[in-house]
Short mmCIF file of all heavy atoms in Angstrom, two decimals:
data_model
loop_
_atom_site.label_atom_id
_atom_site.label_comp_id
_atom_site.label_asym_id
_atom_site.label_seq_id
_atom_site.Cartn_x
_atom_site.Cartn_y
_atom_site.Cartn_z
N GLY J 131 14.73 11.01 14.55
CA GLY J 131 15.64 11.85 13.89
C GLY J 131 15.29 13.30 14.05
O GLY J 131 14.25 13.74 13.73
N THR J 132 16.22 13.97 14.47
CA THR J 132 16.10 15.43 14.67
C THR J 132 17.10 16.23 13.77
O THR J 132 17.58 17.36 14.11
CB THR J 132 16.28 15.88 16.16
OG1 THR J 132 17.58 15.43 16.56
CG2 THR J 132 15.18 15.48 17.03
N GLY J 133 17.52 15.62 12.63
CA GLY J 133 18.47 16.18 11.71
C GLY J 133 17.63 17.07 10.80
O GLY J 133 16.71 17.75 11.06
N GLN J 134 18.27 17.13 9.53
CA GLN J 134 17.89 18.24 8.50
C GLN J 134 16.37 17.98 8.18
O GLN J 134 15.66 18.96 8.05
CB GLN J 134 18.63 17.97 7.34
CG GLN J 134 20.21 17.97 7.67
CD GLN J 134 21.20 18.00 6.61
OE1 GLN J 134 21.59 19.05 6.13
NE2 GLN J 134 21.63 16.86 6.16
N VAL J 135 15.87 16.75 8.01
CA VAL J 135 14.55 16.59 7.59
C VAL J 135 13.63 16.40 8.85
O VAL J 135 12.65 16.95 8.96
CB VAL J 135 14.29 15.37 6.78
CG1 VAL J 135 12.84 15.19 6.49
CG2 VAL J 135 15.15 15.66 5.54
N GLY J 136 14.14 15.63 9.85
CA GLY J 136 13.36 15.31 11.06
C GLY J 136 12.93 16.58 11.70
O GLY J 136 11.67 16.71 12.25
N SER J 154 16.11 11.39 19.43
CA SER J 154 17.36 11.27 18.73
C SER J 154 18.34 10.82 19.91
O SER J 154 17.95 10.79 21.09
CB SER J 154 17.91 12.56 18.07
OG SER J 154 17.78 13.63 19.10
N LYS J 155 19.56 10.61 19.66
CA LYS J 155 20.67 10.14 20.68
C LYS J 155 21.07 11.35 21.50
O LYS J 155 21.14 11.26 22.61
CB LYS J 155 21.70 9.46 19.93
CG LYS J 155 22.54 8.55 20.83
CD LYS J 155 23.39 7.64 19.91
CE LYS J 155 24.48 7.02 20.66
NZ LYS J 155 25.34 6.31 19.79
N HIS J 156 21.24 12.37 20.75
CA HIS J 156 21.83 13.65 21.51
C HIS J 156 20.76 14.74 21.46
O HIS J 156 19.91 14.87 20.48
CB HIS J 156 23.03 14.04 20.87
CG HIS J 156 24.10 13.02 20.76
ND1 HIS J 156 24.30 12.36 19.57
CD2 HIS J 156 24.93 12.43 21.58
CE1 HIS J 156 25.17 11.41 19.69
NE2 HIS J 156 25.65 11.51 21.02
N ALA J 170 17.14 8.73 23.01
CA ALA J 170 17.13 7.18 22.95
C ALA J 170 18.21 6.72 21.89
O ALA J 170 18.35 7.54 20.92
CB ALA J 170 15.81 6.65 22.53
N ASP J 171 18.90 5.70 22.20
CA ASP J 171 19.66 5.06 21.11
C ASP J 171 18.86 4.10 20.42
O ASP J 171 18.46 3.03 20.90
CB ASP J 171 20.81 4.33 21.76
CG ASP J 171 21.74 3.70 20.69
OD1 ASP J 171 21.32 3.66 19.55
OD2 ASP J 171 22.94 3.28 21.04
N VAL J 172 18.53 4.37 19.20
CA VAL J 172 17.46 3.79 18.47
C VAL J 172 17.90 2.38 18.05
O VAL J 172 17.04 1.49 17.72
CB VAL J 172 16.93 4.53 17.40
CG1 VAL J 172 15.89 3.81 16.51
CG2 VAL J 172 16.29 5.86 17.77
N THR J 173 19.29 2.11 18.17
CA THR J 173 19.76 0.63 17.75
C THR J 173 19.25 -0.29 18.83
O THR J 173 19.32 -1.50 18.69
CB THR J 173 21.23 0.68 17.69
OG1 THR J 173 21.76 1.14 18.88
CG2 THR J 173 21.70 1.48 16.62
N CYS J 191 13.28 9.27 10.19
CA CYS J 191 14.10 10.27 9.50
C CYS J 191 15.48 10.23 10.06
O CYS J 191 16.12 11.22 10.25
CB CYS J 191 13.57 11.70 9.76
SG CYS J 191 11.89 11.92 9.02
N LEU J 192 15.99 8.90 10.45
CA LEU J 192 17.32 8.79 11.01
C LEU J 192 18.28 8.66 9.82
O LEU J 192 17.98 8.48 8.69
CB LEU J 192 17.38 7.53 11.82
CG LEU J 192 16.47 7.45 13.03
CD1 LEU J 192 16.31 6.03 13.50
CD2 LEU J 192 16.89 8.34 14.09
N ASN J 193 19.58 8.77 10.11
CA ASN J 193 20.64 8.67 9.26
C ASN J 193 21.78 8.07 9.88
O ASN J 193 22.11 8.37 11.01
CB ASN J 193 20.92 9.94 8.46
CG ASN J 193 21.52 9.63 7.02
OD1 ASN J 193 21.81 8.55 6.69
ND2 ASN J 193 21.63 10.66 6.24
N TRP J 199 27.30 3.08 6.17
CA TRP J 199 25.89 2.66 6.02
C TRP J 199 25.67 1.19 6.19
O TRP J 199 24.74 0.77 6.84
CB TRP J 199 25.36 3.08 4.65
CG TRP J 199 24.71 4.56 4.55
CD1 TRP J 199 25.09 5.53 5.32
CD2 TRP J 199 23.66 4.94 3.71
NE1 TRP J 199 24.34 6.64 5.06
CE2 TRP J 199 23.35 6.35 4.05
CE3 TRP J 199 22.88 4.34 2.69
CZ2 TRP J 199 22.46 7.11 3.36
CZ3 TRP J 199 22.00 5.10 2.10
CH2 TRP J 199 21.79 6.46 2.43
N PHE J 203 23.43 1.61 9.42
CA PHE J 203 22.02 2.12 8.93
C PHE J 203 20.95 1.05 9.23
O PHE J 203 19.92 1.37 9.90
CB PHE J 203 21.93 2.62 7.56
CG PHE J 203 21.07 3.81 7.26
CD1 PHE J 203 21.12 4.41 6.14
CD2 PHE J 203 20.06 4.22 8.27
CE1 PHE J 203 20.18 5.41 5.90
CE2 PHE J 203 19.24 5.17 8.00
CZ PHE J 203 19.25 5.82 6.74
N LEU J 206 19.53 0.88 12.85
CA LEU J 206 18.69 2.04 13.17
C LEU J 206 17.24 1.80 12.75
O LEU J 206 16.28 2.05 13.41
CB LEU J 206 19.16 3.36 12.40
CG LEU J 206 20.47 3.99 12.98
CD1 LEU J 206 20.80 5.21 12.15
CD2 LEU J 206 20.14 4.57 14.54
N LEU J 224 11.22 7.70 5.49
CA LEU J 224 11.78 8.52 4.35
C LEU J 224 13.07 7.81 3.82
O LEU J 224 13.95 7.29 4.54
CB LEU J 224 12.38 9.90 5.11
CG LEU J 224 13.13 10.72 4.06
CD1 LEU J 224 12.42 11.16 2.83
CD2 LEU J 224 13.82 11.99 4.78
N GLU J 225 13.02 7.73 2.46
CA GLU J 225 14.25 7.14 1.79
C GLU J 225 14.81 8.09 0.80
O GLU J 225 14.14 8.93 0.28
CB GLU J 225 13.80 5.77 1.13
CG GLU J 225 13.21 4.76 2.10
CD GLU J 225 12.97 3.39 1.44
OE1 GLU J 225 12.86 3.35 0.16
OE2 GLU J 225 12.81 2.48 2.20
N ASN J 226 16.08 7.82 0.29
CA ASN J 226 16.55 8.51 -0.87
C ASN J 226 16.41 7.62 -2.05
O ASN J 226 15.65 6.62 -2.07
CB ASN J 226 17.95 8.97 -0.54
CG ASN J 226 18.91 7.86 -0.49
OD1 ASN J 226 18.60 6.62 -0.57
ND2 ASN J 226 20.14 8.04 -0.09
N ARG J 254 20.54 0.39 1.06
CA ARG J 254 19.27 1.15 1.08
C ARG J 254 18.18 0.14 0.52
O ARG J 254 17.08 -0.05 1.13
CB ARG J 254 19.23 2.34 0.31
CG ARG J 254 18.01 3.04 0.13
CD ARG J 254 17.36 3.51 1.41
NE ARG J 254 17.89 4.82 1.88
CZ ARG J 254 17.54 5.45 2.89
NH1 ARG J 254 16.67 5.05 3.84
NH2 ARG J 254 17.99 6.68 3.16
N ALA J 277 12.79 10.89 -1.68
CA ALA J 277 13.08 12.24 -2.19
C ALA J 277 14.54 12.19 -2.70
O ALA J 277 15.38 11.30 -2.39
CB ALA J 277 13.00 13.24 -1.07
N SER J 278 14.89 13.18 -3.56
CA SER J 278 16.20 13.23 -4.12
C SER J 278 17.11 14.11 -3.29
O SER J 278 16.81 14.55 -2.14
CB SER J 278 16.06 13.93 -5.54
OG SER J 278 17.31 13.75 -6.27
N ASP J 279 18.30 14.39 -3.74
CA ASP J 279 19.33 15.10 -3.07
C ASP J 279 18.47 16.52 -2.66
O ASP J 279 17.90 17.22 -3.48
CB ASP J 279 20.45 15.61 -3.96
CG ASP J 279 21.05 14.45 -4.70
OD1 ASP J 279 21.49 13.48 -3.94
OD2 ASP J 279 21.33 14.42 -5.91
N PHE J 280 18.73 16.85 -1.37
CA PHE J 280 17.78 17.95 -0.91
C PHE J 280 18.71 19.21 -0.55
O PHE J 280 19.95 19.17 -0.48
CB PHE J 280 16.92 17.47 0.18
CG PHE J 280 17.53 16.98 1.45
CD1 PHE J 280 18.59 17.58 2.10
CD2 PHE J 280 17.18 15.77 2.00
CE1 PHE J 280 19.07 17.12 3.24
CE2 PHE J 280 17.63 15.20 3.14
CZ PHE J 280 18.61 15.90 3.78
N GLY J 288 26.29 16.99 4.04
CA GLY J 288 25.48 15.77 3.61
C GLY J 288 24.60 15.94 2.50
O GLY J 288 23.72 15.08 2.24
N SER J 289 24.87 16.99 1.62
CA SER J 289 24.02 17.03 0.36
C SER J 289 24.87 17.90 -0.64
O SER J 289 25.69 18.62 -0.32
CB SER J 289 22.70 18.00 0.70
OG SER J 289 22.11 18.34 -0.60
N1 LIG O 1854 21.01 14.10 2.02
C1 LIG O 1854 20.13 14.05 1.11
O1 LIG O 1854 20.26 14.79 0.17
C2 LIG O 1854 18.92 13.11 1.19
C3 LIG O 1854 17.97 13.20 0.14
C4 LIG O 1854 16.75 12.35 0.28
C5 LIG O 1854 16.72 11.56 1.35
N2 LIG O 1854 17.63 11.49 2.38
C6 LIG O 1854 17.42 10.58 3.58
O2 LIG O 1854 16.80 11.40 4.61
C7 LIG O 1854 16.96 10.69 5.81
C8 LIG O 1854 17.37 11.62 6.87
O3 LIG O 1854 18.55 12.35 6.59
P1 LIG O 1854 18.95 13.66 7.21
O4 LIG O 1854 20.05 14.25 6.38
O5 LIG O 1854 17.86 14.44 7.61
O6 LIG O 1854 19.66 13.11 8.51
P2 LIG O 1854 20.71 13.83 9.52
O7 LIG O 1854 20.64 15.22 9.42
O8 LIG O 1854 22.08 13.19 9.34
O9 LIG O 1854 20.16 13.44 11.05
C9 LIG O 1854 20.18 12.02 11.43
C10 LIG O 1854 19.48 11.87 12.69
O10 LIG O 1854 19.63 10.57 13.07
C11 LIG O 1854 19.83 10.49 14.46
N3 LIG O 1854 20.51 9.28 14.88
C12 LIG O 1854 21.53 8.71 14.41
N4 LIG O 1854 21.85 7.58 14.99
C13 LIG O 1854 21.02 7.47 16.07
C14 LIG O 1854 20.90 6.62 17.14
N5 LIG O 1854 21.67 5.50 17.23
N6 LIG O 1854 19.83 6.89 17.97
C15 LIG O 1854 19.04 7.85 17.81
N7 LIG O 1854 19.20 8.84 16.91
C16 LIG O 1854 20.10 8.60 16.05
C17 LIG O 1854 20.80 11.75 14.65
O11 LIG O 1854 20.63 12.09 16.08
P3 LIG O 1854 22.00 12.25 16.98
O12 LIG O 1854 22.80 13.34 16.27
O13 LIG O 1854 21.51 12.53 18.25
O14 LIG O 1854 22.72 10.94 16.84
C18 LIG O 1854 20.06 12.70 13.79
O15 LIG O 1854 19.07 13.38 14.48
C19 LIG O 1854 18.03 9.51 5.44
O16 LIG O 1854 17.43 8.30 5.26
C20 LIG O 1854 18.64 10.11 4.16
O17 LIG O 1854 19.16 9.02 3.36
C21 LIG O 1854 18.76 12.31 2.31
#
Side-chain angles (χ1 to χ4, degrees):
T132 54
Q134 311 187 86
V135 177
S154 56
K155 201 163 159 184
H156 310 97
D171 180 347
V172 178
T173 56
C191 296
L192 298 165
N193 206 352
W199 272 31
F203 211 170
L206 282 177
L224 172 61
E225 297 186 346
N226 64 4
R254 177 63 87 180
S278 191
D279 306 310
F280 58 54
S289 171

